[in-house]
Amino acid sequence: MKIRRRALSSLSLVLTLAAACSDDGGGDTAGAGGMGGGGAGGSAGGDAATSFEVTIENVTPARDYRVAGVFNTPVGESMPGPLFPEKSFELRVGALPGDRLSFTTMFGQSNDLFYAPDGAGIALYDEAGKPVSGDVTDQVLLWDAGSEANEEPGAGPNQAPRQSGPNTGAKDPDNTVRLVQDDYTYPAVEEVIQVTVTPEPGNEFTIRITNMSEVGTLMPEGGEPAAVPLSPGLFVVHTMADPLFTVGQAYPGNGLEAQAEDGNPMMLHEGVMPRAGLTSPAAPGVAVVHGAAAPLFRSGEADRGKGLEMLAEDGNPTTLAESLEAEVGGESGLSSVLVYNTPVDASMPGPLLPGAKFSFTVTARPGERLSFASMLGQSNDLFFAPSEEGIALFDANGEPVSGDVSDQVTIWDAGTEANQWPGVGPDQAPRQAGPQMGADDPTDRVRAVDDGYLYPAANQMLKVTITPAL
């Protein structure tokens, strides 16, 4: 079989050209030993061989929010708490053109008022696709959640600084979310809150929320001059309309009431987090049946230079498959190598999108194990794989293994390229101008991913099942 090498400029091209790893006829994955891997021979001697169907399914759910989280600890402080004058909350987000920022934070001297952008959110890029920079406070508004009747700001006995407990005030006769519109006087938004956006490398942004109020910002007739504390809040990065509330509709039961009345964003957070995070394709990959441990990598050691870098950075399994093919039957303990590259029911090789699956067959004897590797597409050099020992295909009694083995799969960092925010980094395959464009990883070793960014668990992205042939 001839393996053609191609230069690749994007993830979609990389994955399409993965067909070069299979026969010229195209659409099917190679069978066990299909890269010239010697079929079922290998380290286990004359024991009876068993065929296994292996299915790798992308089970990543659809996400409403690219990023979501809580801001609750003022800059320079070690414990969560409210934001007092001259203090700031700071948060970091990753975003692409078209993404917008929404957030909520309570106007502390009120019954149920909160600051937030309108339903569209704050654009993080301009119409030309350039990152926004500077003061965006003019896009922040003061809203009434419609959950509790308003009292004079800074003096009401049922407002958070003075109430005996949460939910002590009378119900608002108008239960709709709306711009604040009662007979009381409120300070201008910019007298209480300032929001700035600062672009950072890697399509990231620093958002800074500063309390601009001071004693005397509120001058209630029934109380003392006061500043306005701001509460911890929730933020989301999104492309949808009305991500947290809809103007003119009743306040949703998603936790907005607790945020607006008591400054507590955690109920909002609980509802948002299952709908937030990374959605990614998985790339075509390489699978091997082996007897010895660590056929693809060893945790804590540098990449071996046999093609794992190209698989992990560009979704191209060609070089790794060719390197492993040369080791079949040798001291490495490899008995077969194959490339899987065409999703079930697809006519052409390509990426494994949510809801799709790869399926291939391997043949093994007792004592042999399965290892595989597929790039996490929305990353710099991350890949899905079992541990270096691989997945046992037989139990201690020599019986074939059957069932879901997803919990044995990990997201690994190849250690060849510095990581950027998952799903937005400009040097990640879907956005880079060509292969291997990113900065080198200073750690330079293969390890389970631990870079400070948030990733779903591997088994929340891929479902891997093994079924022995009858």
Side-chain angles (χ1 to χ4, degrees), residues 64-66 98-102 119-121 236-243:
D64 291 324
Y65 313 115
R66 186 183 301 282
D99 286 344
R100 308 177 79 88
L101 170 75
S102 291
V236 294
V237 174
H238 61 96
T239 57
M240 63 190 299
D242 302 326

Side-chain angles (χ1 to χ4, degrees), residues 129 272 408:
V272 161
Q408 298 185 54

Side-chain angles (χ1 to χ4, degrees), residues 388-440:
E388 59 195 51
E389 290 83 6
I391 296 171
L393 292 171
F394 298 86
D395 64 20
N397 297 318
E399 296 298 322
V401 168
S402 180
D404 189 334
V405 294
S406 307
D407 61 354
Q408 298 185 54
V409 179
T410 297
I411 300 174
W412 295 92
D413 189 328
T416 57
E417 184 172 305
N419 291 345
Q420 300 168 322
W421 195 292
V424 305
D427 298 315
Q428 295 167 357
R431 288 165 292 281
Q432 64 186 1
Q436 302 178 35
M437 297 293 292
D440 289 340

Side-chain angles (χ1 to χ4, degrees), residues 188-280:
V189 170
E190 63 272 16
E191 293 181 73
V192 178
I193 187 173
Q194 180 188 61
V195 181
T196 60
V197 175
T198 303
E200 307 287 355
N203 292 339
E204 297 185 24
F205 295 83
T206 296
I207 314 298
R208 194 173 181 93
I209 298 172
T210 302
N211 189 327
M212 305 297 289
S213 72
E214 56 187 26
V215 174
T217 295
L218 286 180
M219 299 288 290
E221 293 183 6
E224 298 294 326
V228 181
L230 298 173
S231 75
L234 178 93
F235 69 92
V236 294
V237 174
H238 61 96
T239 57
M240 63 190 299
D242 302 326
L244 300 176
F245 61 89
T246 301
V247 179
Q249 293 188 8
Y251 65 90
N254 62 353
L256 183 66
E257 179 180 7
Q259 169 75 99
E261 290 187 16
D262 307 308
N264 181 1
M266 297 314 297
M267 288 181 62
L268 273 175
H269 182 257
E270 290 173 5
V272 161
M273 290 311 293
R275 303 161 57 196
L278 180 64
T279 297
S280 177

Side-chain angles (χ1 to χ4, degrees), residues 164-179:
S164 59
N167 300 315
T168 59
K171 287 292 184 184
D172 190 331
D174 180 354
N175 71 347
T176 62
V177 180
R178 60 203 186 267
L179 290 172

